[in-house]
Amino acid sequence: MSDTMISIRNLYKIFGPNPKKAMEAVAAGVGKDELLEKNGHVLGLNNINLDMKRNELQVVMGLSGSGKSTLIRHINRLIEPTAGEMIIDGDNVLAMDQKSLRELRRHKISMVFQRFALLPHRSVIDNVGYGLQIQNVGKKEIKERSERWIERVGLAGYEDYYPAKLSGGMQQRVGLARALTTDAEILLMDEAFSALDPLIRTEMQDILLDLQEEIQKTIVFITHDLDEALRIGDTIAILKDGMIIQNDDPQNILMQPADEYVADFMKDINRARVLRVRAIMEPIDPEADGPEMHGSTTLEQALQIFAEHSTDHAVIVNKRKEKVGKLTIEDLIRGMKRPTLQEIRDANDQQVA
Amino acid sequence: MDFFSEFPALSRRDNSALRRFIDNGFRDFSREYGEALENFFDPLLQFLIAFEQLLLATPWPIVILVIAGLTWAGGRSMAITVGAILSFLVIGYLGMWENTMSTLAIISVATLICIAIGIPIGILMARSDRAQGMITPVLDVMQTIPSFVYLIPVVMLLGIGKVPGMIAVCIYAVPPIIRLTNLGIRLVDREVLEAADAFGSSTYQRLMDVQIPLALPNIFAGVNQTIMMALSMVVIASMIGVKGLGIPVLQAISNQYLALGLMNGLAIVALAIIFDRVTQRFGKRLQKHQEQSH
Ligand SMILES: Nc1ncnc2c1ncn2[C@@H]1O[C@H](COP(=O)(O)OP(=O)(O)OP(=O)(O)O)[C@@H](O)[C@H]1O
Ligand SMILES: [Mg+2]
């Protein structure tokens, strides 16, 4: 079994009357704005290359209109690409006929929607069992499996309610349970929590993280909210004008933004709360001593530990309590500081060279 | 100057030749196919006659009971149910029972036919913009052309009787259900349709699980309008041999019987009100669980 679940290669999507023709212009290097002005076509996705690891939570982030929804809908082929490849678990999705595509959507991929997209004429339990009903699973099994997931998302007792009678947060729990009930390996979530109040949203993120720990799915999570992305993403891809400009571990994105656009994105983030000490620690040396802290400690917590122990240095350990690095108060101060434009340019130049 | 003061019309002789050509053509067509068409519609005729006979043969208290039951089942309203019972009692008391049963039979069967034809056509229209573009003007013509005009070809083809009457009623009454089925399906939330696709629905599953149920309130508004339009055709249909409340109205017009015309006219109105209220309330009930509670 390969490590990669979803592999996207040279994917382009152009909206308009004659995408094939516009594609020639794009291949020649015409950008989104120019294409719209000169050819009257919208460049939805521009040469996307992205590998998503099995059982990881991949976040795709970008401003409104950057192509997030377009991208996620290519994964289950709700949108046909203009050019490119989409490989899921070794299978070429774009080569599938209608029947295999339906099988893929029934068993392998499920989806959660921004505005819930529940069936208003069906009760909670019938909504949750919807995916199984499409697969013609027996009534009794549908009921059992639906009830299990209703319970798991905390909606026990609401089985017979209609969606309109539930709050937004509860409706999205139904949406989540509906997606989980088919036991698909891949879960697509298009701004699934964006329509919810901040408090409810955090609650839903907790539910998702909790579930992910337990059931280990490949999740593609779309959001335009950086806090959300940093909170839940194992990897974050940043999309701009249909192009991926960085795809990386959240810590790396904070420490080494690919360009000014990404850096600008990050500037309002409370780095002390998001950055972990393992992203800024120095290599271990024999003399290192001081209080021990885990690599996933946030800078804010590290500062607290420094204060409690009245020290200016500490040792970083991994899960097995092995020493992996050291941290000084200077490292902490440097970590808190946002990289300047010059530093970003220098770092990028170095990478190019 | 002649050119402007007198319209450059076809000469009288040419004009009558043209009409004769069309008339003869159609007459030949009906001679050729009239019988085949009659055979085709024969099961319909038998069904209509059987249904009418059933209504007439059943003792009146049972008919009223069944009507009351249906009214209650559809409308869930005491007022409408009691109103329906009283209306039918008065209708019977004033000697209009048999005609009312005939009218009820033809309206019910016509409505069923309209539903059976209209919903599939509406679905087809919703699925394809081209179909919509072609069917919409036909519906416009069907609804605006004076009904007397299309009575002529129908009578030429099938003569006078129940079936041509029924066809005339259906031509007039079917457009609303087609239009509203089309509209209802087109108004279904895009995201819900996307969900149906994302979970791997086939086209048929999407239609049955999502599109039709969500379009149902609109489809039902169409059924309601179709029934109302069918009822408004009762008098015209009776001109070509459909029995029922329309016949006394026609007699009343030609003989200036005010009371007779009024009584039968009001009986039609009573039927219309009962049908309307029951179907409307039923349609509302279909939407009930979609109402926000907060
Ligand atoms: N069917 C379509 N026809 C034409 N242009 C489209 C279509 N769908 C999307 N677009 C365009 O493609 C671009 C990407 O749209 P997309 O919906 O993927 O953005 P998004 O990142 O999901 O934005 P949002 O945060 O608003 O949901 C936009 O410029 C949009 O206008
Ligand atoms: Mg979007």
Side-chain angles (χ1 to χ4, degrees), chain A residues 183-197:
Chain A
D183 286 332
E185 288 170 72
I186 300 173
L187 193 58
L188 305 180
M189 306 182 75
D190 185 5
E191 306 219 26
F193 304 152
S194 296
L196 307 176
D197 301 336

Side-chain angles (χ1 to χ4, degrees), chain A residues 73 76 78 102 105-106 110-111 113-115 117-122 130 133-134 162 164-166 178, chain B residues 189-192 194-202 205 209-210 213-214 288-294:
Chain A
R73 278 163 179 70
N76 56 358
L78 286 177
R102 276 205 300 274
R105 291 171 178 171
R106 287 179 184 184
S110 62
M111 194 161 180
F113 295 83
Q114 177 168 7
R115 290 185 304 118
L118 301 175
L119 301 173
H121 61 292
R122 291 187 176 201
Y130 177 57
Q133 179 226 317
I134 290 173
Y162 283 94
K165 298 268 185 281
L166 304 178
R178 174 175 70 177
Chain B
D189 184 4
R190 235 200 73 220
E191 216 181 10
V192 179
E194 210 169 34
D197 287 337
F199 282 95
S201 283
S202 63
Q205 284 174 323
D209 294 341
V210 180
L214 295 196
K288 214 174 106 207
H289 53 249
Q290 297 184 25
E291 278 162 20
Q292 211 87 21
S293 66
H294 41 90

Side-chain angles (χ1 to χ4, degrees), chain A residues 15-16 32 42-44 62-71 114 190-191 224:
Chain A
F15 295 105
K32 180 165 177 161
V42 178
L43 182 52
L63 298 177
S64 187
S66 57
K68 307 182 296 288
S69 299
T70 308
L71 177 60
Q114 177 168 7
D190 185 5
E191 306 219 26
H224 60 247

Side-chain angles (χ1 to χ4, degrees), chain A residues 169 193-203:
Chain A
F193 304 152
S194 296
L196 307 176
D197 301 336
L199 228 60
I200 310 281
R201 191 193 289 201
T202 317
E203 201 178 301

Side-chain angles (χ1 to χ4, degrees), chain B:
Chain B
M1 276 299 104
D2 251 12
F3 183 81
F4 289 105
S5 57
E6 191 99 0
F7 200 94
L10 209 59
S11 81
R12 191 176 291 196
R13 237 190 41 222
D14 289 347
N15 191 322
S16 85
L18 172 69
R19 282 177 305 179
R20 214 163 333 133
F21 173 73
I22 296 174
D23 287 353
N24 287 338
F26 193 75
R27 200 163 291 137
D28 289 345
F29 173 80
S30 38
R31 240 179 243 136
E32 190 87 11
Y33 296 105
E35 205 175 309
L37 272 174
E38 252 168 59
N39 289 339
F40 175 75
F41 285 118
D42 195 50
L44 182 64
L45 179 63
Q46 298 308 328
F47 176 62
L48 182 56
I49 290 174
F51 189 50
E52 197 178 340
Q53 285 308 319
L54 177 71
L55 281 179
L56 285 171
T58 312
W60 64 267
I62 297 183
V63 173
I64 290 191
L65 218 63
V66 170
I67 289 172
L70 288 176
T71 314
W72 175 254
R76 290 288 155 78
S77 150
M78 216 52 208
I80 296 175
T81 309
V82 171
I85 294 173
L86 285 180
S87 307
F88 275 90
L89 286 176
V90 171
I91 283 171
Y93 188 67
L94 293 178
M96 298 182 288
W97 183 261
E98 293 191 2
N99 279 336
T100 303
M101 288 305 113
S102 299
T103 295
L104 209 55
I106 192 157
I107 296 303
S108 310
V109 175
T111 305
L112 285 180
I113 294 173
C114 287
I115 291 175
I117 296 174
I119 291 183
I121 296 181
I123 292 171
L124 177 76
M125 271 174 89
R127 290 177 57 91
S128 134
D129 286 337
R130 253 188 60 211
Q132 175 173 258
M134 279 171 2
I135 296 172
T136 305
V138 177
L139 295 182
D140 292 340
V141 170
M142 281 163 76
Q143 276 184 300
T144 45
I145 200 166
S147 15
F148 292 104
V149 174
Y150 60 72
L151 285 184
I152 303 164
V154 172
V155 171
M156 279 172 81
L157 266 178
L158 296 163
I160 287 200
K162 285 186 168 51
V163 168
M166 170 88 73
I167 292 174
V169 171
C170 285
I171 293 176
Y172 184 68
V174 80
I177 189 164
I178 298 179
R179 281 188 208 277
L180 280 153
T181 302
N182 173 37
L183 179 76
I185 292 180
R186 281 176 184 267
L187 285 180
V188 170
D189 184 4
R190 235 200 73 220
E191 216 181 10
V192 179
L193 285 179
E194 210 169 34
D197 287 337
F199 282 95
S201 283
S202 63
T203 313
Y204 178 75
Q205 284 174 323
R206 189 177 54 181
L207 184 69
M208 293 320 243
D209 294 341
V210 180
Q211 287 172 309
I212 295 211
L214 295 196
L216 214 50
N218 272 314
I219 295 178
F220 226 77
V223 173
N224 173 288
Q225 284 187 27
T226 290
I227 296 176
M228 293 302 111
M229 291 179 73
L231 270 167
S232 69
M233 274 292 280
V234 163
V235 176
I236 291 172
S238 65
M239 291 175 70
I240 56 170
V242 174
K243 280 197 282 176
L245 290 167
I247 298 218
V249 173
L250 281 184
Q251 284 172 2
I253 293 172
S254 45
N255 298 315
Q256 303 181 359
Y257 296 151
L258 174 63
L260 182 72
L262 219 53
M263 269 159 40
N264 285 277
L266 286 177
I268 297 177
V269 171
L271 286 184
I273 293 178
I274 295 168
F275 269 121
D276 181 61
R277 295 298 127 85
V278 171
T279 49
Q280 264 192 25
R281 289 186 63 105
F282 186 72
K284 278 222 187 78
R285 281 226 315 280
L286 286 177
Q287 303 185 59
K288 214 174 106 207
H289 53 249
Q290 297 184 25
E291 278 162 20
Q292 211 87 21
S293 66
H294 41 90

